[in-house]
């Protein structure tokens, strides 16, 4: 019996040590990048689009655009990507506003997005896929401006 007591005492001390609260030094979480924040807003927006809540989806897409357009990056390629993502989101927000029958807002967003798209200067090395996407989006925005809106 004398041999069991030390073993029980060690077991109890071990268990209580395991259940003691752990004191950790608070780590600073790295905030998400501009691109990550904008992408998260768009991802969360998918349900609104599929459920045809176009007015809400348009506002959320515009919010994602504003986040992208507010990004400040010294790297020209990333700055271009942020502006491209923001302009593209404004055009999509315009199309969604049009679906929601908010025509004045649709036109305002479309004009803003188109003018940013039109003024963008891609980095020197743009692959064919990116170049094609840019041309398609610019053409889609032109069609929207001409009254041939993309429908969701």
């Amino acid at each position: 019996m004398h041999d069991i007591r030390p073993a029980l005492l060690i077991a109890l001390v071990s268990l209580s040590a395991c259940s003691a609260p752990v004191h950790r030094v608070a780590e600073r979480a790295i905030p998400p990048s501009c691109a990550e924040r904008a992408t998260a807003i768009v991802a969360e927006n998918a349900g609104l689009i599929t459920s045809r809540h176009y007015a809400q989806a348009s506002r959320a897409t515009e919010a994602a655009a504003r986040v992208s357009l507010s990004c400040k990056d010294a790297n020209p390629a990333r700055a271009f990507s942020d502006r491209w993502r923001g302009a593209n989101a404004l055009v999509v927000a315009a199309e969604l506003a049009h679906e929601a029958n908010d025509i004045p807002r649709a036109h305002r967003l479309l004009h803003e997005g188109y003018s940013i798209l039109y003024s963008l200067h891609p980095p020197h090395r743009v692959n064919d896929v990116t170049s094609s996407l840019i041309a398609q989006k610019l053409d889609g925005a032109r069609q929207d401006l001409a009254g041939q809106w993309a429908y969701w």
Side-chain angles (χ1 to χ4, degrees), residues 49 71 87 130 142:
I49 294 170
C71 296
T130 302
R142 281 189 194 110

Side-chain angles (χ1 to χ4, degrees), residues 13-101:
V13 169
S14 297
L15 285 175
S16 65
C18 290
S19 66
V22 176
H23 299 286
R24 297 182 186 194
V25 175
E27 293 179 25
R28 285 181 28 138
I30 298 171
S33 71
C34 241
E36 291 169 334
R37 287 193 321 268
T39 302
I41 293 169
V42 169
E44 292 167 4
N45 199 22
L48 292 172
I49 294 170
T50 58
S51 63
R52 298 185 177 162
H53 292 101
Y54 296 122
Q56 290 172 284
S58 176
R59 286 189 298 276
T61 304
E62 181 184 4
R66 301 291 174 212
V67 168
S68 287
L69 292 171
S70 73
C71 296
K72 305 288 184 228
D73 202 310
N75 179 308
R78 282 194 297 259
F80 171 81
S81 293
D82 292 334
R83 297 213 24 94
W84 161 255
R85 187 181 326 97
N88 182 46
L90 286 173
V91 171
V92 171
E95 292 167 347
L96 291 166
H98 184 264
E99 283 292 313
N101 205 28

Side-chain angles (χ1 to χ4, degrees), residues 1 3 12 20 34 43 45 61 63-65 70 72 86 89 95 99 101 115-116 127 132 137 147 149 152:
M1 188 74 170
D3 294 332
L12 285 174
C34 241
N45 199 22
T61 304
S70 73
K72 305 288 184 228
E95 292 167 347
E99 283 292 313
N101 205 28
S115 81
I116 294 168
N127 66 32
S132 178
K137 195 51 163 176
W149 289 88
W152 290 83

Side-chain angles (χ1 to χ4, degrees), residues 73-140:
D73 202 310
N75 179 308
R78 282 194 297 259
F80 171 81
S81 293
D82 292 334
R83 297 213 24 94
W84 161 255
R85 187 181 326 97
N88 182 46
L90 286 173
V91 171
V92 171
E95 292 167 347
L96 291 166
H98 184 264
E99 283 292 313
N101 205 28
D102 188 349
I103 304 307
R105 184 168 182 279
H107 283 280
R108 179 182 54 78
L109 292 169
L110 178 60
H111 284 280
E112 184 181 358
Y114 177 80
S115 81
I116 294 168
L117 284 173
Y118 188 76
S119 69
L120 281 174
H121 300 290
H124 296 292
R125 293 184 221 174
V126 175
N127 66 32
D128 291 340
V129 173
T130 302
S131 181
S132 178
L133 288 172
I134 292 168
Q136 286 175 1
K137 195 51 163 176
L138 197 51
D139 186 52

